[in-house]
Amino acid sequence: MTESETETESERTGTFLVTAADEESAVLKDVHSGQVHALSSNPGVSEDEAVRGTVAPDPPMNVSWQLVEVESRWTVSVERSTESPTTNSRDIAADNPDGELVREERAGTGEIHVLSVPDDMTEQAVDDILDDREGLLSRAARLDVNRVEIRSQPGVVAVRYMP
């Protein structure tokens, strides 16, 4: 048996994003490895939810999975705020060239990602960030937070990952 076959047949514990869900099944994506697990049944999870738990393959074929243990689960929301970036975010952006992304830990839990952009590209940058919903949700799950807030003003976009 090869290493990948052994890996496929074993339980996996981690943090997963529910990327699709209906009454009969769900799809979980490991937010650290990117591996996708198609569940053969839906244990009550819904899209945009993060789950910390364990998945195990369904015998005998081991091509679908079951969520066998749930340590915790939470819903992650993404919102576009009407508030301006904080003074700290504006200062970070002012010190960096356009297109530069700076990640900074928040006091407590989470992170702030500050992107410097040309003034006339700010709205497009926000739209592009919002278009990557799965990426936003996966990062939020990795950071163990339940809210993503995007603030902007000309030249500055701040993505705040918060509890």
Side-chain angles (χ1 to χ4, degrees), residues 52-83:
R52 188 172 300 110
T54 302
V55 294
D58 282 326
M61 300 295 287
N62 296 329
V63 295
S64 60
W65 298 78
Q66 290 288 326
L67 183 60
V68 295
E69 182 182 328
V70 176
E71 181 183 319
S72 61
R73 60 191 260 196
W74 64 98
T75 301
V76 181
S77 66
V78 176
E79 67 182 63
R80 181 182 206 154
S81 176
T82 57
E83 293 185 47

Side-chain angles (χ1 to χ4, degrees), residues 78-120:
V78 176
E79 67 182 63
R80 181 182 206 154
S81 176
T82 57
E83 293 185 47
S84 295
T86 63
T87 301
N88 184 49
S89 292
R90 291 191 308 267
D91 290 346
I92 291 169
D95 291 340
N96 291 293
D98 287 346
E100 185 78 21
L101 175 72
V102 176
R103 296 175 187 202
E104 187 172 282
E105 287 187 27
R106 285 186 76 249
T109 303
E111 281 185 357
I112 299 171
H113 296 182
V114 179
L115 179 63
S116 302
V117 296
D119 290 358
D120 63 341

